[in-house]
C-alpha cells in the first residue's frame, strides 16, 4: 500500500466502532456508491454527516483496505442525496427517511440554509407542525454547538464520553465554567473526579493556590475518607491530607473552611476534645438515622409470667430448648420497638430469630426478613424457613446506576412504608449509614425492628459503623449471646473463631477435622498447595464443587494478593480451550466457565431466571457489589457476556460494562463479608501490620461452614491474633443518638 496522502469526501454510512474514552472510531464512508472503511480519532461525529478526510490507505489482515485518517473536517453536504442522508440518519430526532426526503425535495440545495435562517418555512412541508419545525432548528444548532464543544474539550484531554456529559449538563455555559472554575465539574458530574478537574485547571492556567482548587481539594479528601468508611475527619488530619494532595500550606486550607460552612458544603463540630469536619450529606444522614432509631424505640408492656407460659408452649411445639439468654432476647423483642441481638458463631442467633418469628406469628403479626447481600438473605431463608430478601429488594429499588443515581430510588419510603408489624435484619455489621437511612425511612413508628449481627466482624464496606455505634450509644436494648451450643462446640472453626476474638492462641497441630494449617514459607509453594486444595482435595472433602471452595486473602496486590492469585487460579481451574470463548478486557481475560464477581452496585442491571425449557420464570433488576457467579456464555458477535448468579439469575453484560466484573477464584476477606462457603482456603505469609489484625482473621474464619485451611505461616496467624489494632473508623452515629435522646 502506498503512503501517499489521499483526500476523500462522503457521508458516514455507519459507525462500526467508537471508543468513547479516546474518540478512536471505525466508520464506513460512502461516496458515489463506493464504500470505504476509515479508522482514526474523531472528536464527535454522527451517522449521516458529511466528512472531508485526509489519510493514507493501509491493508488490515482481517478487515482489508482501510483509510487511516490523519485529519478531517465536517462539511455541510452540498449534494441533495447527502443532505437527505444526513437529515434521515437519526442525527436529528423526529426526522425519519421519508420526512427527510420531503424536506430536501421541497427546498433542494437551500435546505440547510432554510433550517438555520428561516426554520418557520419548514411548515410548508407536509407533516411538519410549527413545534416540530422549531425543534428541528434547535437540534440542528445544538449538533453544531456540541461538535464545537467536543473539539474545545478535547484540547484539555477530555474523552468523548465525559465531553458529552459535560455539554449535556452545562450547554453553552461549558466554556465559561471550564475557564473560570473547572472544579465545578468534579462536584456536578459523576465520572469526573478531583484529579481530572485538577488536570484541566492546570491546562486552563488556574493557580495551584486558587480558592476554587483548595475548596475542591477539601471536598475530595472528605470524599476519599468516605470511601475508606469514615463519615468525618478530625480537623488536623483533614488539613494535613488536603495540604499534601494540593501541595499547599495547611493554613491556606484552614482559610477556606468558614466559607464552605456558610455555603453548607461542610459541617464543623467540636466533639470529644477534637474538631471534626463532615460533608453535609453524611452529617445529616447520621443525624436523621439517630432521630428515626429513637422514634422506633418504643416500650411495650408485657407481663413476664404470661410471656414465659407462652414460651413453654412454643418451645414444645417447635421442639426446641432455648437457653436463658435466648428467652431474654425473645422477651426483649416483645417489649421493645427496637432490639439489637449480637453474638459470634455457634451462639444460637438463628434459633433465637426462629423463636422470635414463631412468637410474633402466634400473635398474628406479620414479619419481614432481610439481609444486606443476596447470599446472606439466601442463608437466612434456609435457616428460618421463611422468605428473606436483600434490603434493596425489600425496599423495592428501581432504576438508576452508580453512575446515574438520579434515576435510582427506593419505592418504599416515608410516603410508601413497609406494611408489616416486625422487621428482622440479619448481618447488620455489613449495613452502612446510607442503607440504614433508606431502611429506616420505610419503617413506620409502631413497627418492631430487630437488628441481628456479629459486632466483631469487619465493619461495612460503605461509610459508617452502624452496628457498633448503635450498641455504643447505650440507648437501645442489646442482648449478647455468648453461650456456644454443644453441636457448634464440636467444630474447631467455631471454637477457634471465639479464641481469635478473645485473643487466645490457637492449637495448630492438624488433629482437627475442620481447621488445618499447612506450614509453608515460599510464595510459589503456597500457591501450588492452594491450587491442589481448591481443585483436587477440598471439593471431595466437603462434598462441594470447585467453585464453592473460596480462596480468601487479605490483600489485592502482592505475590499472594487477589490479582495475581486470580490469574494463576484461572489458568489451572479454567484453562483456555478451543470450545470456550473468551474476551480480553483491560488486564483481564474473561472466559466461559470463569468464576466472577460484580464489583459495584448496579441497580438497573436486569436479571432473569429461566426454566429448563428456556421460559422466563422470574425477572428483576439489581446486581450488587460482591455478588459472585459463573460466565455461562460469551457472544463475540453480539458483544455480550452472560453471568449466572445465585438462584439461577442470568445477567447479560455488554462488553462496555465489563469494568463491573472481576475474577473471583480469590477474593479479599473484606469482599467475603456476609457470605458463607463450604470451604475456605487462606494463603497467609506476610503483610502490613495495620491490615493483618485479629478482626480480619476472625471475619475470614467465620466465613467457612465445613473447613478452613490456612497455607503459610503459623507465626503470622498468631501475630494477627495478638494484633488488636484495626484502622479506626471515624463515625459518630452514637454521638447523634446521645444528643437527641
Amino acid at each position: 500500500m502506498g503512503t501517499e496522502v489521499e483526500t476523500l469526501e462522503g457521508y458516514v454510512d455507519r459507525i462500526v466502532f467508537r471508543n468513547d474514552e479516546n474518540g478512536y472510531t471505525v466508520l464506513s464512508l460512502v461516496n458515489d456508491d463506493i464504500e470505504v472503511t476509515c479508522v482514526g480519532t474523531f472528536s464527535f461525529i454522527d451517522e449521516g454527516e458529511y466528512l472531508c478526510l485526509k489519510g493514507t490507505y493501509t491493508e488490515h489482515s482481517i478487515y482489508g483496505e482501510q483509510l487511516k485518517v490523519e485529519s478531517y473536517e465536517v462539511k455541510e453536504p452540498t449534494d441533495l442525496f447527502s443532505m437527505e442522508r444526513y437529515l434521515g440518519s437519526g442525527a436529528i430526532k423526529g426526522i425519519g427517511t421519508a420526512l427527510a426526503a420531503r424536506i430536501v425535495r421541497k427546498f433542494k440545495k437551500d435546505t440547510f440554509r432554510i433550517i438555520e435562517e428561516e426554520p418557520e418555512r419548514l411548515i410548508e412541508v407536509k407533516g411538519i407542525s410549527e413545534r416540530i419545525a422549531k425543534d428541528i432548528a434547535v437540534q440542528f444548532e445544538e449538533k453544531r454547538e456540541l461538535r464545537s464543544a467536543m473539539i474545545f474539550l478535547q484540547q484539555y484531554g477530555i474523552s468523548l464520553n465525559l465531553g458529552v456529559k459535560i455539554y449535556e449538563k452545562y450547554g453553552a455555559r461549558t466554556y465559561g465554567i471550564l475557564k473560570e472554575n473547572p472544579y465545578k465539574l468534579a462536584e456536578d458530574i459523576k465520572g469526573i473526579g478531583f484529579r481530572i478537574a485538577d488536570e484541566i485547571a492546570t491546562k486552563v492556567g488556574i493557580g495551584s493556590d486558587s480558592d476554587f482548587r483548595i475548596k475542591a481539594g477539601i471536598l475530595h479528601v472528605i470524599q476519599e475518607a468516605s470511601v475508606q468508611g469514615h463519615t468525618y475527619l478530625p480537623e488536623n488530619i483533614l488539613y494535613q491530607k488536603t495540604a499534601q494532595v494540593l501541595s499547599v500550606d495547611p493554613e491556606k486550607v484552614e482559610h477556606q473552611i468558614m466559607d464552605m460552612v456558610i455555603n453548607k458544603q461542610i459541617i464543623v463540630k467540636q466533639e470529644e476534645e477534637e474538631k471534626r469536619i463532615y460533608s453535609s450529606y453524611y452529617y445529616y444522614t447520621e443525624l436523621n438515622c439517630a432521630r428515626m432509631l429513637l422514634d422506633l424505640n418504643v416500650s411495650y408492656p408485657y407481663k413476664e409470667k404470661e410471656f414465659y407460659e407462652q414460651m413453654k408452649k412454643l418451645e414444645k411445639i417447635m421442639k426446641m430448648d432455648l437457653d436463658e439468654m435466648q428467652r431474654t432476647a425473645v422477651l426483649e423483642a416483645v417489649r421493645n420497638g427496637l432490639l439489637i441481638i449480637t453474638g459470634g458463631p455457634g451462639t444460637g442467633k438463628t434459633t433465637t430469630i426462629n423463636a422470635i418469628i414463631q412468637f410474633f406469628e402466634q400473635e398474628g403479626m406479620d414479619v419481614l426478613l432481610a439481609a444486606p447481600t443476596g447470599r446472606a438473605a439466601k442463608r437466612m431463608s434456609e435457616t428460618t424457613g421463611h422468605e428473606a430478601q436483600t434490603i434493596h429488594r425489600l425496599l423495592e429499588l428501581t432504576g438508576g446506576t452508580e453512575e446515574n443515581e438520579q434515576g435510582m430510588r427506593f419505592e418504599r419510603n416515608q410516603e410508601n412504608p413497609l406494611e408489616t408489624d416486625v422487621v428482622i435484619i440479619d448481618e447488620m455489621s455489613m449495613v452502612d449509614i446510607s442503607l440504614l437511612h433508606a431502611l429506616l425511612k420505610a419503617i413506620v413508628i409502631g413497627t418492631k425492628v430487630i437488628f441481628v449481627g456479629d459486632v466483631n466482624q469487619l465493619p461495612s464496606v460503605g461509610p459508617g459503623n452502624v452496628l457498633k455505634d448503635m450498641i455504643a450509644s447505650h440507648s437501645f436494648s442489646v442482648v449478647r449471646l455468648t453461650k456456644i451450643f454443644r453441636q457448634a462446640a464440636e467444630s474447631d472453626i467455631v471454637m477457634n473463631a471465639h479464641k481469635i476474638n478473645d485473643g487466645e492462641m490457637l492449637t495448630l497441630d492438624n488433629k482437627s477435622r475442620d481447621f488445618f494449617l499447612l506450614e509453608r514459607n515460599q510464595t510459589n509453594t503456597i500457591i501450588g498447595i492452594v491450587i491442589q486444595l481448591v481443585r483436587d482435595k477440598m471439593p471431595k472433602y466437603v462434598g462441594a464443587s470447585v467453585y464453592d471452595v473460596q480462596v480468601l486473602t487479605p490483600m489485592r496486590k502482592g505475590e499472594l494478593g487477589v490479582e495475581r492469585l486470580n490469574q494463576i487460579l484461572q489458568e489451572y481451574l479454567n484453562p483456555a480451550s478451543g470450545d470456550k470463548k473468551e474476551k480480553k478486557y483491560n488486564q483481564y481475560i474473561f472466559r466461559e466457565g470463569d468464576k466472577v464477581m460484580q464489583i459495584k452496585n448496579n441497580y438497573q442491571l436486569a436479571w432473569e431466571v429461566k426454566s429448563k425449557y428456556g421460559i422466563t420464570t422470574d425477572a428483576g433488576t439489581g446486581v450488587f457489589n460482591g455478588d459472585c457467579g459463573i460466565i455461562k456464555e460469551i457472544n463475540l458477535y453480539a458483544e455480550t457476556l452472560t453471568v449466572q448468579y445465585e438462584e439461577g439469575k442470568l445477567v447479560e453484560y455488554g462488553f462496555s460494562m465489563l469494568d463491573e466484573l472481576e475474577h473471583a477464584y480469590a477474593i479479599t476477606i473484606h469482599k467475603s463479608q456476609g457470605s458463607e462457603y463450604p470451604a475456605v482456603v487462606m494463603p497467609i505469609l506476610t503483610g502490613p501490620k495495620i491490615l493483618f489484625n485479629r478482626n480480619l482473621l476472625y471475619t475470614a474464619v467465620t466465613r467457612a461452614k465445613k473447613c478452613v485451611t490456612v497455607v503459610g505461616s503459623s507465626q503470622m496467624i498468631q501475630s494477627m491474633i495478638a494484633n488488636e489494632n484495626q484502622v479506626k473508623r471515624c463515625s459518630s452515629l452514637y454521638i447523634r443518638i446521645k444528643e437527641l435522646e
Side-chain angles (χ1 to χ4, degrees), residues 413-477:
N413 48 37
Q414 51 273 65
E415 278 81 47
N416 179 28
L418 293 165
E419 291 156 31
T420 188
D421 303 302
V422 184
V423 176
I424 303 177
I425 307 290
D426 198 8
E427 293 285 1
M428 269 306 288
S429 61
M430 296 181 69
V431 173
D432 64 30
I433 195 70
S434 300
L435 188 55
L436 178 72
H437 190 249
L439 175 68
L440 295 174
K441 282 201 294 185
I443 300 174
V444 291
I445 298 167
T447 305
K448 286 178 176 292
V449 180
I450 296 146
F451 292 134
V452 185
D454 182 348
V455 80
N456 296 304
Q457 296 284 5
L458 290 168
S460 56
V461 175
N465 215 345
V466 166
L467 185 61
K468 261 196 178 137
D469 277 2
M470 287 192 296
I471 294 170
S473 73
H474 302 293
S475 301
F476 311 108
S477 177

Side-chain angles (χ1 to χ4, degrees), residues 724-737:
E724 275 189 275
N725 303 329
Q726 54 190 102
V727 183
K728 182 185 181 294
R729 191 167 271 218
C730 299
S731 67
S732 55
L733 176 62
Y734 67 99
I735 294 175
R736 306 283 83 85
I737 293 168

Side-chain angles (χ1 to χ4, degrees), residues 426-543:
D426 198 8
E427 293 285 1
M428 269 306 288
S429 61
M430 296 181 69
V431 173
D432 64 30
I433 195 70
S434 300
L435 188 55
L436 178 72
H437 190 249
L439 175 68
L440 295 174
K441 282 201 294 185
I443 300 174
V444 291
I445 298 167
T447 305
K448 286 178 176 292
V449 180
I450 296 146
F451 292 134
V452 185
D454 182 348
V455 80
N456 296 304
Q457 296 284 5
L458 290 168
S460 56
V461 175
N465 215 345
V466 166
L467 185 61
K468 261 196 178 137
D469 277 2
M470 287 192 296
I471 294 170
S473 73
H474 302 293
S475 301
F476 311 108
S477 177
V478 177
V479 175
R480 288 181 172 82
L481 301 175
T482 51
K483 181 183 169 186
I484 301 168
F485 285 87
R486 189 174 53 80
Q487 201 179 345
E490 291 168 10
S491 159
D492 285 325
I493 295 173
V494 171
M495 297 313 289
N496 284 344
H498 285 278
K499 280 184 180 175
I500 291 164
N501 198 31
D502 296 336
E504 290 176 32
M505 294 299 125
L506 305 184
T507 306
L508 299 167
D509 57 9
N510 290 341
K511 287 180 181 168
S512 167
R513 283 177 306 177
D514 61 5
F515 200 106
F516 305 100
L517 175 107
L518 306 178
E519 185 86 42
R520 301 290 185 277
N521 53 19
Q522 295 294 319
T523 307
N524 288 342
T525 312
I526 291 171
I527 292 170
I529 289 172
V530 167
I531 291 163
Q532 229 181 352
L533 286 168
V534 176
R535 188 183 58 189
D536 309 322
K537 303 274 172 70
M538 278 300 140
K540 287 179 207 154
Y541 190 69
V542 298

Side-chain angles (χ1 to χ4, degrees), residues 554-567:
M555 301 174 295
R556 283 196 64 80
K557 305 278 178 199
E559 295 198 326
L560 292 173
V562 163
E563 290 173 11
R564 182 164 186 247
L565 284 173
N566 270 323
Q567 234 175 338

